[in-house]
Amino acid sequence: MEQSLLDELNLSLEKEKNNLTQELRGIATPDKNVKGDWDAKYENMGDGWDENAQEVTEYATRVPLEHELEIRLQQVELALKKIDDSTYGICEVCKSVMDENRLKANPAAATCVQHAQ
C-alpha cells in the first residue's frame, strides 16, 4: 500500500477515534477495572415518579448506544495497532490484501468484502 494512502487512512482513523471517545464521554464513563470498556451513565434526575421513569428510559437508550460506540472504538484502535505493526489491510479470514476502496470506505475494516459479515 502506498504510504500517502496509509497516512490518509491513519489520519482518518485517529479522527474517528477522537470523535468516538468524545461521544462516549457524553453518555458513559470508562470502566476503571477493564481497559477499553465503558459503562453507560445513569443520571439521577430527581425523586419523583416521572423523574425516575425518565432516568430509566434515558439509561435504556444509552446502554445500546454505548455498546455500539465501544465496539466501533475497539475496531478503530485495532486498525491503528495494525498500522503500527505493519499488518494493516490484510483480511483476517483469507489473509489477502484488502482492496483500497474497501479501506477508504471503512478504514477499520478487518476483512475483505468477500468475508465481511
Side-chain angles (χ1 to χ4, degrees):
M1 180 180 305
E2 173 178 315
Q3 186 62 44
S4 63
L5 176 60
L6 190 59
D7 291 343
E8 177 184 323
L9 295 171
N10 186 58
L11 181 60
S12 177
L13 286 163
E14 286 290 349
K15 284 181 182 179
E16 186 174 2
K17 177 182 175 181
N18 290 336
N19 289 339
L20 289 165
T21 301
Q22 187 174 23
E23 284 185 66
L24 275 164
R25 284 193 178 122
I27 63 164
T29 55
D31 186 324
K32 294 176 181 162
N33 299 317
V34 181
K35 185 179 189 304
D37 189 35
W38 292 73
D39 297 317
K41 292 179 184 176
Y42 188 85
E43 305 280 334
N44 186 359
M45 297 178 183
D47 297 328
W49 185 87
D50 290 343
E51 290 88 3
N52 289 337
Q54 186 177 357
E55 290 170 19
V56 171
T57 300
E58 285 194 28
Y59 182 73
T61 301
R62 288 178 179 190
V63 169
L65 178 58
E66 173 266 321
H67 183 70
E68 291 298 319
L69 292 171
E70 183 180 315
I71 288 171
R72 181 62 183 177
L73 180 58
Q74 290 169 355
Q75 292 169 342
V76 167
E77 288 175 336
L78 179 59
L80 288 166
K81 183 178 182 320
K82 287 179 178 183
I83 289 174
D84 289 343
D85 296 344
S86 300
T87 59
Y88 180 74
I90 306 298
C91 176
E92 290 182 354
V93 176
C94 66
K95 308 301 182 207
S96 66
V97 176
M98 285 190 268
D99 183 70
E100 290 180 1
N101 290 327
R102 167 86 168 136
L103 294 171
K104 287 178 184 177
N106 179 7
T111 61
C112 64
V113 173
Q114 181 181 355
H115 293 107
Q117 300 178 1

Short mmCIF file of all heavy atoms in Angstrom, two decimals, residues 13-79:
data_model
loop_
_atom_site.label_atom_id
_atom_site.label_comp_id
_atom_site.label_asym_id
_atom_site.label_seq_id
_atom_site.Cartn_x
_atom_site.Cartn_y
_atom_site.Cartn_z
N LEU A 13 -8.56 7.36 10.82
CA LEU A 13 -8.79 6.52 12.00
C LEU A 13 -8.56 7.30 13.29
O LEU A 13 -9.33 7.16 14.25
CB LEU A 13 -7.89 5.28 11.95
CG LEU A 13 -8.30 4.21 10.95
CD1 LEU A 13 -7.14 3.25 10.69
CD2 LEU A 13 -9.54 3.46 11.42
N GLU A 14 -7.53 8.11 13.33
CA GLU A 14 -7.26 8.92 14.53
C GLU A 14 -8.41 9.90 14.80
O GLU A 14 -8.82 10.08 15.94
CB GLU A 14 -5.93 9.69 14.39
CG GLU A 14 -4.70 8.82 14.52
CD GLU A 14 -4.46 8.29 15.92
OE1 GLU A 14 -5.10 8.74 16.89
OE2 GLU A 14 -3.60 7.40 16.06
N LYS A 15 -8.91 10.52 13.74
CA LYS A 15 -10.05 11.45 13.90
C LYS A 15 -11.28 10.70 14.40
O LYS A 15 -11.98 11.18 15.29
CB LYS A 15 -10.36 12.13 12.57
CG LYS A 15 -9.40 13.21 12.19
CD LYS A 15 -9.80 13.86 10.87
CE LYS A 15 -8.80 14.92 10.45
NZ LYS A 15 -9.16 15.53 9.16
N GLU A 16 -11.54 9.53 13.82
CA GLU A 16 -12.69 8.75 14.27
C GLU A 16 -12.53 8.32 15.72
O GLU A 16 -13.48 8.35 16.49
CB GLU A 16 -12.91 7.54 13.36
CG GLU A 16 -14.17 6.79 13.71
CD GLU A 16 -14.53 5.66 12.78
OE1 GLU A 16 -13.77 5.38 11.82
OE2 GLU A 16 -15.57 5.03 13.02
N LYS A 17 -11.33 7.93 16.09
CA LYS A 17 -11.07 7.54 17.48
C LYS A 17 -11.39 8.70 18.43
O LYS A 17 -12.06 8.51 19.45
CB LYS A 17 -9.61 7.11 17.65
CG LYS A 17 -9.24 6.75 19.06
CD LYS A 17 -7.77 6.39 19.18
CE LYS A 17 -7.38 6.15 20.62
NZ LYS A 17 -5.96 5.83 20.76
N ASN A 18 -10.94 9.89 18.08
CA ASN A 18 -11.20 11.06 18.92
C ASN A 18 -12.70 11.35 19.00
O ASN A 18 -13.22 11.65 20.08
CB ASN A 18 -10.44 12.28 18.40
CG ASN A 18 -8.95 12.15 18.61
OD1 ASN A 18 -8.49 11.43 19.49
ND2 ASN A 18 -8.18 12.84 17.80
N ASN A 19 -13.40 11.27 17.87
CA ASN A 19 -14.84 11.53 17.85
C ASN A 19 -15.60 10.49 18.68
O ASN A 19 -16.50 10.84 19.43
CB ASN A 19 -15.37 11.54 16.41
CG ASN A 19 -14.91 12.75 15.63
OD1 ASN A 19 -14.53 13.77 16.19
ND2 ASN A 19 -14.93 12.63 14.32
N LEU A 20 -15.24 9.22 18.52
CA LEU A 20 -15.90 8.17 19.28
C LEU A 20 -15.67 8.33 20.78
O LEU A 20 -16.59 8.17 21.59
CB LEU A 20 -15.41 6.79 18.82
CG LEU A 20 -15.87 6.35 17.44
CD1 LEU A 20 -15.03 5.18 16.95
CD2 LEU A 20 -17.35 6.00 17.45
N THR A 21 -14.44 8.66 21.15
CA THR A 21 -14.12 8.86 22.56
C THR A 21 -14.92 10.02 23.13
O THR A 21 -15.47 9.92 24.24
CB THR A 21 -12.61 9.10 22.73
OG1 THR A 21 -11.90 7.97 22.21
CG2 THR A 21 -12.24 9.29 24.19
N GLN A 22 -15.03 11.09 22.36
CA GLN A 22 -15.80 12.25 22.81
C GLN A 22 -17.29 11.89 22.95
O GLN A 22 -17.92 12.27 23.94
CB GLN A 22 -15.63 13.40 21.82
CG GLN A 22 -16.24 14.70 22.26
CD GLN A 22 -15.91 15.84 21.30
OE1 GLN A 22 -15.59 15.64 20.14
NE2 GLN A 22 -15.99 17.05 21.81
N GLU A 23 -17.84 11.16 21.99
CA GLU A 23 -19.24 10.73 22.07
C GLU A 23 -19.46 9.84 23.29
O GLU A 23 -20.46 9.99 24.01
CB GLU A 23 -19.66 9.98 20.81
CG GLU A 23 -19.90 10.87 19.61
CD GLU A 23 -20.42 10.08 18.43
OE1 GLU A 23 -21.55 9.54 18.52
OE2 GLU A 23 -19.69 9.99 17.42
N LEU A 24 -18.55 8.91 23.50
CA LEU A 24 -18.68 8.01 24.65
C LEU A 24 -18.64 8.78 25.96
O LEU A 24 -19.42 8.48 26.89
CB LEU A 24 -17.58 6.95 24.63
CG LEU A 24 -17.89 5.73 23.78
CD1 LEU A 24 -16.63 4.92 23.50
CD2 LEU A 24 -18.94 4.85 24.46
N ARG A 25 -17.78 9.76 26.07
CA ARG A 25 -17.68 10.53 27.31
C ARG A 25 -18.98 11.27 27.63
O ARG A 25 -19.25 11.58 28.78
CB ARG A 25 -16.52 11.52 27.23
CG ARG A 25 -15.19 10.86 27.40
CD ARG A 25 -14.07 11.87 27.64
NE ARG A 25 -12.84 11.15 27.85
CZ ARG A 25 -11.75 11.30 27.12
NH1 ARG A 25 -11.73 12.17 26.13
NH2 ARG A 25 -10.67 10.60 27.38
N GLY A 26 -19.79 11.55 26.60
CA GLY A 26 -21.06 12.22 26.82
C GLY A 26 -22.12 11.32 27.42
O GLY A 26 -23.05 11.80 28.08
N ILE A 27 -21.99 10.01 27.21
CA ILE A 27 -23.04 9.09 27.69
C ILE A 27 -22.52 7.99 28.60
O ILE A 27 -23.31 7.22 29.14
CB ILE A 27 -23.77 8.43 26.50
CG1 ILE A 27 -22.82 7.56 25.68
CG2 ILE A 27 -24.48 9.46 25.65
CD1 ILE A 27 -23.52 6.59 24.75
N ALA A 28 -21.20 7.91 28.77
CA ALA A 28 -20.63 6.80 29.54
C ALA A 28 -19.35 7.24 30.24
O ALA A 28 -18.82 8.31 29.97
CB ALA A 28 -20.34 5.62 28.61
N THR A 29 -18.89 6.37 31.12
CA THR A 29 -17.61 6.59 31.79
C THR A 29 -16.73 5.36 31.57
O THR A 29 -17.23 4.24 31.50
CB THR A 29 -17.79 6.81 33.31
OG1 THR A 29 -18.51 5.71 33.85
CG2 THR A 29 -18.52 8.10 33.59
N PRO A 30 -15.41 5.58 31.45
CA PRO A 30 -14.52 4.42 31.28
C PRO A 30 -14.57 3.52 32.51
O PRO A 30 -14.60 4.00 33.64
CB PRO A 30 -13.13 5.05 31.12
CG PRO A 30 -13.36 6.49 30.83
CD PRO A 30 -14.69 6.84 31.43
N ASP A 31 -14.59 2.23 32.28
CA ASP A 31 -14.55 1.26 33.37
C ASP A 31 -13.12 1.22 33.89
O ASP A 31 -12.19 0.94 33.14
CB ASP A 31 -14.98 -0.12 32.86
CG ASP A 31 -15.11 -1.15 33.96
OD1 ASP A 31 -14.31 -1.13 34.92
OD2 ASP A 31 -16.02 -1.99 33.86
N LYS A 32 -12.93 1.49 35.17
CA LYS A 32 -11.58 1.54 35.74
C LYS A 32 -10.94 0.16 35.87
O LYS A 32 -9.73 0.04 36.00
CB LYS A 32 -11.63 2.22 37.10
CG LYS A 32 -12.01 3.67 37.01
CD LYS A 32 -12.14 4.33 38.36
CE LYS A 32 -12.54 5.77 38.15
NZ LYS A 32 -13.10 6.41 39.29
N ASN A 33 -11.76 -0.88 35.82
CA ASN A 33 -11.25 -2.24 36.00
C ASN A 33 -10.98 -2.98 34.70
O ASN A 33 -10.24 -3.96 34.70
CB ASN A 33 -12.22 -3.05 36.86
CG ASN A 33 -12.40 -2.46 38.24
OD1 ASN A 33 -11.44 -2.04 38.87
ND2 ASN A 33 -13.63 -2.39 38.69
N VAL A 34 -11.61 -2.55 33.61
CA VAL A 34 -11.47 -3.26 32.34
C VAL A 34 -11.07 -2.26 31.26
O VAL A 34 -11.86 -1.40 30.88
CB VAL A 34 -12.79 -3.97 31.95
CG1 VAL A 34 -12.62 -4.73 30.64
CG2 VAL A 34 -13.27 -4.88 33.05
N LYS A 35 -9.85 -2.40 30.76
CA LYS A 35 -9.36 -1.49 29.74
C LYS A 35 -10.21 -1.59 28.48
O LYS A 35 -10.51 -2.67 27.99
CB LYS A 35 -7.90 -1.82 29.40
CG LYS A 35 -7.27 -0.84 28.43
CD LYS A 35 -5.82 -1.23 28.16
CE LYS A 35 -5.02 -0.29 27.41
NZ LYS A 35 -5.23 0.24 26.22
N GLY A 36 -10.61 -0.44 27.96
CA GLY A 36 -11.39 -0.40 26.73
C GLY A 36 -12.88 -0.58 26.94
O GLY A 36 -13.64 -0.54 25.98
N ASP A 37 -13.30 -0.77 28.18
CA ASP A 37 -14.72 -0.96 28.47
C ASP A 37 -15.29 0.34 29.01
O ASP A 37 -14.64 1.06 29.75
CB ASP A 37 -14.91 -2.09 29.49
CG ASP A 37 -16.35 -2.48 29.66
OD1 ASP A 37 -17.11 -2.43 28.68
OD2 ASP A 37 -16.74 -2.84 30.79
N TRP A 38 -16.52 0.63 28.62
CA TRP A 38 -17.22 1.82 29.07
C TRP A 38 -18.52 1.40 29.73
O TRP A 38 -19.09 0.37 29.38
CB TRP A 38 -17.51 2.75 27.89
CG TRP A 38 -16.28 3.37 27.29
CD1 TRP A 38 -15.34 2.74 26.53
CD2 TRP A 38 -15.86 4.71 27.41
NE1 TRP A 38 -14.37 3.62 26.16
CE2 TRP A 38 -14.66 4.85 26.67
CE3 TRP A 38 -16.37 5.83 28.05
CZ2 TRP A 38 -13.97 6.06 26.57
CZ3 TRP A 38 -15.69 7.04 27.94
CH2 TRP A 38 -14.51 7.14 27.22
N ASP A 39 -19.01 2.21 30.65
CA ASP A 39 -20.28 1.95 31.32
C ASP A 39 -21.19 3.15 31.09
O ASP A 39 -20.81 4.30 31.37
CB ASP A 39 -20.07 1.75 32.82
CG ASP A 39 -19.21 0.53 33.12
OD1 ASP A 39 -19.43 -0.51 32.48
OD2 ASP A 39 -18.32 0.64 33.99
N ALA A 40 -22.39 2.88 30.59
CA ALA A 40 -23.36 3.95 30.35
C ALA A 40 -23.64 4.67 31.67
O ALA A 40 -23.75 4.05 32.72
CB ALA A 40 -24.64 3.38 29.76
N LYS A 41 -23.77 6.00 31.57
CA LYS A 41 -24.06 6.80 32.76
C LYS A 41 -25.52 6.65 33.13
O LYS A 41 -26.39 6.55 32.28
CB LYS A 41 -23.78 8.29 32.48
CG LYS A 41 -22.33 8.63 32.28
CD LYS A 41 -22.20 10.12 31.99
CE LYS A 41 -20.77 10.50 31.69
NZ LYS A 41 -20.66 11.92 31.32
N TYR A 42 -25.76 6.65 34.43
CA TYR A 42 -27.12 6.64 34.95
C TYR A 42 -27.28 7.94 35.72
O TYR A 42 -26.74 8.08 36.82
CB TYR A 42 -27.33 5.42 35.85
CG TYR A 42 -28.76 5.24 36.28
CD1 TYR A 42 -29.65 4.57 35.46
CD2 TYR A 42 -29.22 5.75 37.48
CE1 TYR A 42 -30.98 4.40 35.83
CE2 TYR A 42 -30.54 5.59 37.87
CZ TYR A 42 -31.40 4.92 37.04
OH TYR A 42 -32.72 4.76 37.40
N GLU A 43 -27.97 8.87 35.10
CA GLU A 43 -28.14 10.20 35.70
C GLU A 43 -29.27 10.16 36.73
O GLU A 43 -30.34 9.63 36.47
CB GLU A 43 -28.49 11.21 34.62
CG GLU A 43 -27.51 11.27 33.47
CD GLU A 43 -26.26 12.08 33.76
OE1 GLU A 43 -26.34 12.99 34.61
OE2 GLU A 43 -25.23 11.81 33.15
N ASN A 44 -29.04 10.73 37.90
CA ASN A 44 -30.08 10.87 38.91
C ASN A 44 -30.77 12.20 38.67
O ASN A 44 -30.20 13.26 38.87
CB ASN A 44 -29.48 10.83 40.31
CG ASN A 44 -30.55 10.81 41.38
OD1 ASN A 44 -31.74 10.86 41.10
ND2 ASN A 44 -30.12 10.75 42.63
N MET A 45 -32.02 12.15 38.22
CA MET A 45 -32.73 13.36 37.81
C MET A 45 -33.69 13.89 38.86
O MET A 45 -34.23 14.96 38.73
CB MET A 45 -33.49 13.10 36.51
CG MET A 45 -32.57 12.79 35.38
SD MET A 45 -33.51 12.44 33.91
CE MET A 45 -32.18 12.01 32.80
N GLY A 46 -33.96 13.12 39.86
CA GLY A 46 -34.90 13.59 40.88
C GLY A 46 -35.50 12.45 41.66
O GLY A 46 -35.15 11.29 41.50
N ASP A 47 -36.46 12.82 42.51
CA ASP A 47 -37.07 11.83 43.40
C ASP A 47 -38.47 11.42 42.98
O ASP A 47 -39.00 10.43 43.46
CB ASP A 47 -37.13 12.38 44.83
CG ASP A 47 -35.74 12.63 45.39
OD1 ASP A 47 -34.82 11.87 45.01
OD2 ASP A 47 -35.57 13.57 46.18
N GLY A 48 -39.08 12.15 42.10
CA GLY A 48 -40.46 11.88 41.71
C GLY A 48 -40.58 10.71 40.76
O GLY A 48 -39.61 10.28 40.13
N TRP A 49 -41.80 10.19 40.64
CA TRP A 49 -42.06 9.04 39.76
C TRP A 49 -41.71 9.38 38.33
O TRP A 49 -41.09 8.59 37.62
CB TRP A 49 -43.53 8.64 39.88
CG TRP A 49 -43.84 7.41 39.11
CD1 TRP A 49 -43.71 6.13 39.56
CD2 TRP A 49 -44.29 7.31 37.77
NE1 TRP A 49 -44.06 5.24 38.57
CE2 TRP A 49 -44.42 5.95 37.45
CE3 TRP A 49 -44.61 8.25 36.79
CZ2 TRP A 49 -44.86 5.51 36.22
CZ3 TRP A 49 -45.04 7.80 35.55
CH2 TRP A 49 -45.16 6.44 35.28
N ASP A 50 -42.08 10.57 37.85
CA ASP A 50 -41.79 10.99 36.48
C ASP A 50 -40.30 11.06 36.22
O ASP A 50 -39.83 10.64 35.17
CB ASP A 50 -42.43 12.36 36.16
CG ASP A 50 -43.94 12.29 36.07
OD1 ASP A 50 -44.48 11.17 35.93
OD2 ASP A 50 -44.58 13.36 36.14
N GLU A 51 -39.56 11.60 37.17
CA GLU A 51 -38.11 11.70 37.01
C GLU A 51 -37.46 10.32 36.97
O GLU A 51 -36.57 10.06 36.18
CB GLU A 51 -37.49 12.55 38.14
CG GLU A 51 -37.82 14.02 38.07
CD GLU A 51 -39.11 14.36 38.80
OE1 GLU A 51 -39.74 13.47 39.40
OE2 GLU A 51 -39.51 15.54 38.74
N ASN A 52 -37.93 9.41 37.81
CA ASN A 52 -37.38 8.06 37.83
C ASN A 52 -37.66 7.33 36.52
O ASN A 52 -36.80 6.63 36.00
CB ASN A 52 -37.95 7.25 39.00
CG ASN A 52 -37.41 7.74 40.33
OD1 ASN A 52 -36.36 8.35 40.40
ND2 ASN A 52 -38.16 7.50 41.38
N ALA A 53 -38.85 7.50 35.98
CA ALA A 53 -39.20 6.87 34.70
C ALA A 53 -38.31 7.43 33.59
O ALA A 53 -37.85 6.70 32.71
CB ALA A 53 -40.67 7.10 34.38
N GLN A 54 -38.06 8.73 33.64
CA GLN A 54 -37.20 9.36 32.63
C GLN A 54 -35.76 8.85 32.76
O GLN A 54 -35.10 8.60 31.76
CB GLN A 54 -37.23 10.88 32.76
CG GLN A 54 -36.48 11.59 31.67
CD GLN A 54 -36.58 13.10 31.76
OE1 GLN A 54 -37.27 13.64 32.61
NE2 GLN A 54 -35.87 13.78 30.89
N GLU A 55 -35.29 8.68 33.98
CA GLU A 55 -33.94 8.14 34.21
C GLU A 55 -33.80 6.76 33.58
O GLU A 55 -32.82 6.48 32.89
CB GLU A 55 -33.66 8.02 35.71
CG GLU A 55 -33.49 9.31 36.44
CD GLU A 55 -33.44 9.11 37.95
OE1 GLU A 55 -33.18 7.99 38.42
OE2 GLU A 55 -33.67 10.09 38.67
N VAL A 56 -34.76 5.91 33.82
CA VAL A 56 -34.71 4.54 33.31
C VAL A 56 -34.76 4.56 31.78
O VAL A 56 -34.01 3.84 31.11
CB VAL A 56 -35.86 3.69 33.90
CG1 VAL A 56 -35.96 2.35 33.20
CG2 VAL A 56 -35.65 3.51 35.40
N THR A 57 -35.61 5.40 31.22
CA THR A 57 -35.73 5.48 29.76
C THR A 57 -34.43 5.96 29.14
O THR A 57 -33.96 5.39 28.15
CB THR A 57 -36.88 6.44 29.37
OG1 THR A 57 -38.10 5.93 29.93
CG2 THR A 57 -37.01 6.56 27.87
N GLU A 58 -33.84 7.00 29.70
CA GLU A 58 -32.57 7.50 29.16
C GLU A 58 -31.45 6.48 29.30
O GLU A 58 -30.65 6.30 28.38
CB GLU A 58 -32.19 8.83 29.83
CG GLU A 58 -33.04 9.97 29.34
CD GLU A 58 -32.48 11.32 29.70
OE1 GLU A 58 -31.24 11.45 29.86
OE2 GLU A 58 -33.29 12.25 29.82
N TYR A 59 -31.41 5.80 30.42
CA TYR A 59 -30.39 4.77 30.61
C TYR A 59 -30.58 3.63 29.61
O TYR A 59 -29.62 3.15 29.00
CB TYR A 59 -30.43 4.23 32.04
CG TYR A 59 -29.38 3.20 32.32
CD1 TYR A 59 -28.03 3.57 32.46
CD2 TYR A 59 -29.70 1.86 32.45
CE1 TYR A 59 -27.05 2.62 32.71
CE2 TYR A 59 -28.73 0.90 32.71
CZ TYR A 59 -27.41 1.29 32.84
OH TYR A 59 -26.44 0.35 33.08
N ALA A 60 -31.81 3.22 29.39
CA ALA A 60 -32.11 2.15 28.44
C ALA A 60 -31.72 2.54 27.02
O ALA A 60 -31.36 1.70 26.21
CB ALA A 60 -33.59 1.78 28.50
N THR A 61 -31.76 3.82 26.73
CA THR A 61 -31.34 4.32 25.42
C THR A 61 -29.82 4.38 25.33
O THR A 61 -29.24 4.09 24.29
CB THR A 61 -31.93 5.73 25.17
OG1 THR A 61 -33.35 5.65 25.24
CG2 THR A 61 -31.51 6.27 23.81
N ARG A 62 -29.18 4.74 26.42
CA ARG A 62 -27.73 4.89 26.43
C ARG A 62 -26.97 3.57 26.34
O ARG A 62 -25.91 3.49 25.73
CB ARG A 62 -27.28 5.62 27.69
CG ARG A 62 -27.62 7.07 27.68
CD ARG A 62 -27.20 7.74 28.97
NE ARG A 62 -27.55 9.15 28.89
CZ ARG A 62 -27.16 10.04 29.76
NH1 ARG A 62 -26.42 9.68 30.78
NH2 ARG A 62 -27.51 11.30 29.61
N VAL A 63 -27.49 2.53 26.96
CA VAL A 63 -26.77 1.25 27.02
C VAL A 63 -26.46 0.71 25.62
O VAL A 63 -25.29 0.42 25.32
CB VAL A 63 -27.50 0.21 27.89
CG1 VAL A 63 -26.89 -1.16 27.74
CG2 VAL A 63 -27.45 0.66 29.35
N PRO A 64 -27.43 0.56 24.72
CA PRO A 64 -27.09 0.03 23.39
C PRO A 64 -26.22 0.98 22.59
O PRO A 64 -25.34 0.54 21.84
CB PRO A 64 -28.44 -0.21 22.72
CG PRO A 64 -29.45 0.50 23.53
CD PRO A 64 -28.88 0.70 24.89
N LEU A 65 -26.43 2.29 22.75
CA LEU A 65 -25.59 3.26 22.05
C LEU A 65 -24.15 3.18 22.55
O LEU A 65 -23.21 3.15 21.75
CB LEU A 65 -26.14 4.68 22.24
CG LEU A 65 -25.35 5.80 21.60
CD1 LEU A 65 -25.20 5.60 20.09
CD2 LEU A 65 -26.00 7.15 21.91
N GLU A 66 -23.99 3.09 23.85
CA GLU A 66 -22.64 2.94 24.43
C GLU A 66 -21.98 1.68 23.90
O GLU A 66 -20.81 1.68 23.54
CB GLU A 66 -22.75 2.91 25.96
CG GLU A 66 -21.46 2.58 26.68
CD GLU A 66 -21.31 1.09 26.98
OE1 GLU A 66 -22.30 0.46 27.35
OE2 GLU A 66 -20.19 0.57 26.84
N HIS A 67 -22.73 0.61 23.81
CA HIS A 67 -22.18 -0.66 23.33
C HIS A 67 -21.70 -0.54 21.89
O HIS A 67 -20.60 -0.99 21.56
CB HIS A 67 -23.25 -1.75 23.48
CG HIS A 67 -22.77 -3.11 23.07
ND1 HIS A 67 -21.84 -3.81 23.80
CD2 HIS A 67 -23.07 -3.87 22.01
CE1 HIS A 67 -21.59 -4.96 23.20
NE2 HIS A 67 -22.32 -5.02 22.11
N GLU A 68 -22.50 0.06 21.02
CA GLU A 68 -22.14 0.21 19.61
C GLU A 68 -20.91 1.11 19.46
O GLU A 68 -20.00 0.81 18.68
CB GLU A 68 -23.31 0.78 18.80
CG GLU A 68 -24.46 -0.18 18.65
CD GLU A 68 -24.08 -1.45 17.89
OE1 GLU A 68 -23.34 -1.38 16.90
OE2 GLU A 68 -24.53 -2.53 18.32
N LEU A 69 -20.88 2.22 20.19
CA LEU A 69 -19.73 3.12 20.12
C LEU A 69 -18.47 2.44 20.64
O LEU A 69 -17.38 2.61 20.08
CB LEU A 69 -20.01 4.41 20.91
CG LEU A 69 -21.08 5.34 20.34
CD1 LEU A 69 -21.41 6.44 21.35
CD2 LEU A 69 -20.64 5.93 19.01
N GLU A 70 -18.61 1.68 21.71
CA GLU A 70 -17.47 0.96 22.30
C GLU A 70 -16.90 -0.05 21.31
O GLU A 70 -15.68 -0.15 21.15
CB GLU A 70 -17.93 0.28 23.58
CG GLU A 70 -16.84 -0.44 24.33
CD GLU A 70 -17.38 -1.09 25.59
OE1 GLU A 70 -18.15 -0.46 26.34
OE2 GLU A 70 -17.03 -2.27 25.81
N ILE A 71 -17.76 -0.80 20.65
CA ILE A 71 -17.31 -1.79 19.66
C ILE A 71 -16.58 -1.09 18.52
O ILE A 71 -15.50 -1.54 18.11
CB ILE A 71 -18.49 -2.62 19.14
CG1 ILE A 71 -18.98 -3.59 20.22
CG2 ILE A 71 -18.11 -3.39 17.87
CD1 ILE A 71 -20.27 -4.30 19.89
N ARG A 72 -17.15 -0.01 18.03
CA ARG A 72 -16.51 0.70 16.91
C ARG A 72 -15.16 1.27 17.36
O ARG A 72 -14.18 1.20 16.60
CB ARG A 72 -17.42 1.81 16.38
CG ARG A 72 -16.85 2.57 15.21
CD ARG A 72 -16.62 1.68 14.01
NE ARG A 72 -15.99 2.44 12.93
CZ ARG A 72 -15.61 1.94 11.79
NH1 ARG A 72 -15.79 0.66 11.53
NH2 ARG A 72 -15.05 2.69 10.89
N LEU A 73 -15.08 1.80 18.56
CA LEU A 73 -13.82 2.32 19.06
C LEU A 73 -12.78 1.21 19.14
O LEU A 73 -11.61 1.41 18.76
CB LEU A 73 -14.01 2.97 20.43
CG LEU A 73 -12.77 3.57 21.08
CD1 LEU A 73 -12.13 4.64 20.20
CD2 LEU A 73 -13.11 4.14 22.46
N GLN A 74 -13.16 0.03 19.56
CA GLN A 74 -12.23 -1.09 19.62
C GLN A 74 -11.75 -1.48 18.22
O GLN A 74 -10.58 -1.79 18.02
CB GLN A 74 -12.89 -2.29 20.31
CG GLN A 74 -13.09 -2.08 21.79
CD GLN A 74 -13.96 -3.13 22.45
OE1 GLN A 74 -14.52 -4.01 21.79
NE2 GLN A 74 -14.10 -3.04 23.76
N GLN A 75 -12.65 -1.43 17.24
CA GLN A 75 -12.28 -1.74 15.85
C GLN A 75 -11.27 -0.71 15.33
O GLN A 75 -10.29 -1.07 14.68
CB GLN A 75 -13.52 -1.76 14.95
CG GLN A 75 -14.45 -2.90 15.23
CD GLN A 75 -15.79 -2.75 14.53
OE1 GLN A 75 -16.18 -1.67 14.09
NE2 GLN A 75 -16.52 -3.86 14.41
N VAL A 76 -11.52 0.55 15.62
CA VAL A 76 -10.63 1.62 15.17
C VAL A 76 -9.26 1.48 15.84
O VAL A 76 -8.23 1.59 15.19
CB VAL A 76 -11.26 3.00 15.46
CG1 VAL A 76 -10.25 4.12 15.30
CG2 VAL A 76 -12.46 3.23 14.54
N GLU A 77 -9.25 1.22 17.14
CA GLU A 77 -7.98 1.06 17.86
C GLU A 77 -7.20 -0.15 17.33
O GLU A 77 -5.97 -0.09 17.23
CB GLU A 77 -8.23 0.94 19.36
CG GLU A 77 -8.65 2.27 19.97
CD GLU A 77 -9.02 2.19 21.43
OE1 GLU A 77 -9.41 1.09 21.91
OE2 GLU A 77 -8.94 3.24 22.10
N LEU A 78 -7.90 -1.22 16.98
CA LEU A 78 -7.23 -2.39 16.42
C LEU A 78 -6.61 -2.05 15.06
O LEU A 78 -5.49 -2.45 14.77
CB LEU A 78 -8.20 -3.56 16.29
CG LEU A 78 -7.63 -4.84 15.70
CD1 LEU A 78 -6.46 -5.37 16.54
CD2 LEU A 78 -8.71 -5.91 15.58
N ALA A 79 -7.34 -1.31 14.24
CA ALA A 79 -6.80 -0.91 12.93
C ALA A 79 -5.56 -0.04 13.11
O ALA A 79 -4.57 -0.21 12.39
CB ALA A 79 -7.87 -0.16 12.13
#
